[in-house]
RNA sequence: GGGCGCUUAGCUCAGUUGGUUCAGAGCACCUCGUUUACACCGAGGGGGUCGGGAGUUCGAAUCUCUCAGCGCCCA
């Protein structure tokens, strides 16, 4: 059968993926005879489509899981998706708006019905796309963070943490959209690139009991009535004398303190900052530090309220008031300056209205105590971060851990199980169900006549991370009735077969940007509920960027469509393309050329297969001459396998791939196959063929995790296989101690071959013309081992010893032995002399440097013996070489 | 403002406790070649005072200090 010279991935990839699925190779069940190797996928958003970050991330997971599977572990890769409350809700709202439906016109249940429909339709897209990539997930276990049991788990955890006293309600500055009348997340606030033009006003505040004024700078004069302090930098010589005095708020003459705070920048504005804790996040922080009063002068609809104390502003919109107060300040001669100013203005993604920072009551988890074990676990390498540099970052975050605001003003997500029964701030209960809530409410209020209708459940849902932080536990149903003890608030060991077997998981592969949002919190939840870590290793990938270092994003349109890439280069090509340039923790500058390189690699392997597959066998040949090649490749294979294992050990996937790449391309294709390859049209001996096919199998095995499709295809083509014999479940090879000596001998042989090829190249001699090689050295027998191969690959007539230098020849020196390639008539003597002189000069300089080192007493005394010995050998070789070169020169002149 | 990290060949990056193989890899580039698995290929080749400076040391890409540039996270 004549095979195409080009490998066609499209013809094989779907076929093998389907076969693996049909045979159930991806599925895992607890197997006490095997060690479990578990990975939980970082669940992609249901809103998303596959992007390059997923490609990288999931390729790495697949490499790890496939290797583990071949190593005979019970490999289980749990896939799933994340409900992504903010992103999904935004999508659904947008979709509805396009249909002319306002979210506000729908009830919560109606909206959720639309959201679920949307999720059913689009939520699985990414997982389907991952199949194209070859991801060997256990699809039977696909989880969703809003599945019924998952939803219940999240609620149980909320109730549990509340009972344990970790959850409380507190004030927080949120982004308020005055038009949509809702809070929005930071992600929904957009800032125009390059900022927006605004004005900076300088306003005089009188110092109490004096004629002095202090001038502050503000962009929001309409908030002046909410001021409760003026802050200056304590290092500011212009203003520090004011600290401790009082100032008067214009028009209303409220007395406010002048305080010192480092936050104030010396060279920004006037150096004096008016502090309005109710209307600015930074001011709020300052207020917290100095115990300032909070005066909230702006209502939810963006108009000023009576707390501003100026009747004709009350009920007017914030921007109307801004204009008026500027006018009023001017008239009162309190406005010192008004100038244009470029600033970042946050606008609502949905309504484009300017976001109003507003304080509101939110739910928090107190993090200090609950995160203690998670902190030390990473510091003590119980959970190991790769690369280790992230340990610092993690430490810093954990040392300064802030309480976690877990409520979100959205509908899509797990609804907060808090039920209010009165108007008081404390008139609520937290419970798993309305029934339980009613019972508790009756007890707490002392009012036995309360009914379910009197209870009002909190409108907000939980932060998505407050569900995904349970992922490694929840996918194995760790919070089911029988597994979770609500009394102790712990998962019971021995009660859940799956969790006991698969948890803790082995490795988590994710992006460093969610180290805190997700990874740290999973570790926290893991220790809180099981006393055990959720995973042993955390591999942090880089961010995929384009060639200009920009993050790949849909809005920039700089991301290629992964499925197009797969179509073009094959999944194997794209996988290797991603891995070629992705050392752990470093950003990956994606370039399609990398996929091209991956595709070329596929093709190289394919053609190696074509060669081997096309050989005829002659049973009468003994092939003894090839034995040296076979021994050599076996040694190189073992060396490479050791390297590969070492790289995997350190999660250097990119380096592991590179080792395999070089083994296949350089050692197997360029050297081994060239050595054993019979002359054109001639048959091969059975022994060499068998050895070659075995080697081919061996390299396919270590290639499989990286390039699963082509490796399985060729594995099946190499030999007839029985029913259960698939590469995906073949046994991972174990490294034998490599035969180092033969590798060293081969190195010299290959060096000789290269030198001869060089001579051909520089003398314009055709590769078809046979040459002779004469060797002048102490021990000719040492060239016997690879003699045949040298003759073959350098296309020589003969290799013979010589006692004398050969005139009219090209020559070279390797380790003190002289090699001559006689070239009657074609020698340019003058050029030769020139070259020799050059080399002589260089070698003398080299010798001088070595001599200097060796004559330095302190070096000889202090350096390790090994190093000194090395230098001595260098000296010896250099001296020998100089001697030969000088002799040659003398002979020529 | 606080913290973390980076700077090695044209590009992307390795380089462990300072010392064989320390100045490397892949890609790109240049020359030659359609030879019989593969031009998605083969055979060769050029290219870096390891960001600048100073110090410690017999010895520094590696340790210390300093200057410059860049990136990320938190506020």
């Amino acid at each position: 059968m004549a095979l195409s010279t080009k490998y066609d991935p499209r013809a094989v990839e779907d076929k093998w993926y389907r076969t693996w699925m049909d045979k159930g190779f991806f599925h895992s069940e607890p197997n006490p005879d095997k060690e479990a190797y578990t990975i939980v996928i970082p669940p992609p958003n249901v809103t998303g489509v596959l992007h390059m970050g997923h490609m990288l991330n999931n390729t790495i997971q697949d490499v790890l899981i496939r290797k583990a599977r071949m190593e005979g572990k019970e490999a289980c890769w749990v896939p799933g998706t994340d409900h992504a409350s903010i992103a999904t809700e935004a999508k659904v709202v947008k979709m509805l708006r396009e249909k002319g439906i306002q979210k506000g016109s729908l009830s919560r249940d109606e909206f959720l019905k639309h959201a679920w429909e949307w999720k059913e339709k689009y939520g699985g897209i990414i997982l389907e796309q991952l199949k194209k990539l070859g991801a060997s997930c256990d699809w039977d276990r696909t989880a969703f963070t809003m599945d019924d049991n998952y939803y219940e788990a999240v609620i149980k955890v909320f109730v549990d943490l509340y009972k344990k006293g970790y959850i409380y309600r507190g004030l927080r500055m949120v982004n308020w959209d005055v038009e949509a009348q809702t809070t929005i997340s930071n992600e929904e606030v957009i800032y125009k690139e390059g900022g927006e033009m605004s004005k900076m006003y300088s306003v005089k505040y009188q110092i109490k009991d004096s004629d002095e004024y202090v001038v502050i700078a503000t962009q929001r004069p309409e908030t002046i009535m909410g001021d409760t302090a003026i802050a200056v930098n304590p290092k500011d010589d212009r203003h520090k004398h004011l600290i401790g005095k009082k100032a008067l708020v214009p028009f209303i003459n409220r007395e406010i303190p002048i305080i010192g705070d480092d936050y104030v920048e010396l060279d920004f504005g006037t150096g004096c900052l008016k502090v309005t804790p109710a209307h600015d996040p930074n001011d709020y922080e300052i207020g917290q530090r100095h115990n300032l009063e909070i005066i909230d002068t702006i209502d939810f609809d963006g108009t000023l309220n009576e707390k501003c104390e100026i009747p004709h502003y009350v009920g007017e919109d914030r921007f109307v008031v801004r204009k008026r107060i500027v006018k009023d300040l001017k008239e009162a001669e309190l406005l010192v300056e008004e100038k244009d100013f470029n600033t970042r203005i946050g606008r609502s993604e949905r309504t484009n209205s300017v976001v109003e920072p507003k304080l509101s009551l939110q739910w928090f988890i107190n993090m200090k105590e609950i995160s203690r074990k998670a902190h030390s676990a990473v510091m003590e390498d119980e959970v190991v971060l790769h690369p280790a540099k992230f340990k610092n970052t993690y430490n810093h975050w954990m040392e300064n851990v802030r309480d976690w605001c877990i409520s979100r003003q959205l509908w899509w997500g797990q609804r907060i199980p808090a039920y209010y029964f009165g108007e008081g701030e404390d008139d609520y209960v937290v419970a798993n169900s309305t029934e339980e809530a009613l019972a508790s409410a009756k007890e707490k209020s002392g009012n036995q006549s309360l009914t379910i209708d009197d209870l009002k459940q909190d409108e907000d849902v939980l932060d998505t991370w407050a569900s995904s932080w349970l992922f490694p536990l929840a996918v194995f149903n760790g919070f089911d009735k029988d597994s979770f003890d609500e009394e102790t608030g712990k998962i019971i060991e021995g009660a859940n077969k799956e969790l006991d077997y698969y948890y803790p998981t082995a490795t988590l592969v994710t992006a460093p940007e969610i180290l805190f949002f997700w990874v740290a919190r999973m570790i926290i939840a893991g220790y809180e509920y099981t006393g055990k870590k959720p995973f042993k290793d955390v591999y942090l990938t880089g961010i995929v960027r384009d060639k200009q270092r920009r993050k790949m994003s849909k809005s920039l349109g700089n991301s290629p469509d992964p499925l197009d890439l797969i179509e073009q280069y094959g999944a194997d090509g794209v996988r290797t393309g991603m891995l070629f340039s992705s050392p752990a923790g470093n950003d990956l500058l994606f370039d399609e050329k990398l996929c091209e390189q991956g595709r070329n690699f596929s093709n190289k392997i394919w053609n190696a297969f074509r060669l081997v597959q096309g050989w005829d066998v002659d049973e009468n040949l003994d092939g003894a001459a090839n034995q040296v090649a076979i021994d050599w490749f076996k040694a190189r294979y073992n060396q490479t396998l050791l390297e590969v294992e070492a790289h995997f050990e350190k999660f250097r996937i990119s380096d592991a791939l590179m080792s395999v790449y070089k083994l296949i391309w350089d050692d197997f294709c360029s050297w081994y196959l060239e050595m054993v390859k019979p002359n054109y049209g001639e048959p091969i001996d059975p022994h060499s063929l068998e050895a070659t096919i075995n080697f081919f199998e061996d390299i396919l095995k270590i290639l499989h995790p990286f390039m699963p499709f082509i490796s399985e295809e060729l594995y099946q083509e190499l030999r007839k296989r029985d029913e259960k014999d698939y590469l995906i479940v073949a046994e991972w090879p174990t490294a034998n101690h490599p035969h180092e000596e033969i590798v060293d001998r081969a190195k010299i042989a290959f060096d000789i071959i290269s030198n001869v090829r060089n001579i051909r190249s520089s003398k314009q001699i055709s590769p078809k013309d046979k040459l002779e090689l004469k060797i002048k050295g102490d021990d000719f027998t040492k060239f016997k081992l690879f003699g045949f191969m040298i003759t073959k690959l350098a296309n020589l007539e003969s290799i013979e010893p010589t006692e004398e230098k050969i005139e009219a020849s090209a020559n070279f020196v390797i380790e003190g032995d002289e090699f001559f390639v006689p070239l009657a008539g074609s020698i340019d003597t003058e050029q030769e002399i020139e070259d020799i002189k050059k080399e002589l000069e260089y070698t003398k300089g080299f010798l001088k440097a070595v001599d200097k080192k060796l004559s330095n007493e302190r070096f000889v005394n202090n350096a390790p013996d090994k190093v000194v010995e090395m230098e001595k050998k260098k000296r010896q070789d250099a001296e020998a070489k100089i001697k030969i070169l000088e002799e040659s020169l003398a002979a020529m002149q």
Side-chain angles (χ1 to χ4, degrees), chain A residues 40-76:
Chain A
V40 293
I41 203 169
N45 288 354
V46 283
T47 57
V49 290
L50 195 68
H51 60 63
M52 299 308 289
H54 296 126
M55 297 282 278
L56 173 63
N57 187 265
N58 288 292
T59 297
I60 291 167
Q61 290 173 70
D62 197 45
V63 169
L64 295 175
I65 209 87
R66 282 181 186 269
K67 179 167 186 272
R69 191 180 291 121
M70 291 175 76
E71 286 170 330
K73 295 174 184 161
E74 186 60 40
C76 181

Side-chain angles (χ1 to χ4, degrees), chain A residues 825-842:
Chain A
S826 61
I827 295 296
D828 178 348
T829 317
E830 248 162 65
Q831 184 60 44
E832 288 299 302
I833 291 174
E834 202 54 39
D835 290 348
I836 293 175
K837 277 184 173 165
K838 228 186 221 169
E839 199 169 358
L840 192 58
E841 199 179 330
Y842 173 84

Side-chain angles (χ1 to χ4, degrees), chain A residues 743-757:
Chain A
V743 176
D744 293 341
R745 300 280 286 272
K747 224 177 255 167
I748 293 170
F750 295 168
D751 202 3
I752 294 169
I753 294 165
S754 289
N755 269 291
V756 175
R757 284 172 176 171

Side-chain angles (χ1 to χ4, degrees), chain A residues 148 250 274 384 498 518 702:
Chain A
D148 287 345
K274 75 184 206 54
V384 187
E498 296 239 316
W518 193 46
I702 58 175

Side-chain angles (χ1 to χ4, degrees), chain A residues 77-140:
Chain A
W77 182 9
V78 184
T81 46
D82 187 310
H83 67 279
S85 61
I86 295 166
T88 308
E89 181 147 334
K91 283 252 174 184
V92 174
V93 167
K94 189 170 167 232
M95 178 215 46
L96 290 171
R97 202 188 298 140
E98 278 160 11
K99 288 186 187 167
I101 305 170
Q102 290 294 317
K103 180 188 165 193
S105 71
L106 297 175
S107 72
R108 188 181 188 110
D109 284 345
E110 284 166 343
F111 176 83
L112 288 178
K113 210 175 146 225
H114 285 293
W116 275 105
E117 274 171 17
W118 190 92
K119 185 261 167 188
E120 292 310 325
K121 196 163 166 195
Y122 304 108
I125 291 179
I126 286 193
L127 300 186
E128 287 309 309
Q129 290 174 319
L130 284 180
K131 294 179 180 173
K132 292 272 173 214
L133 186 66
S136 58
C137 302
D138 185 350
W139 298 108
D140 300 340

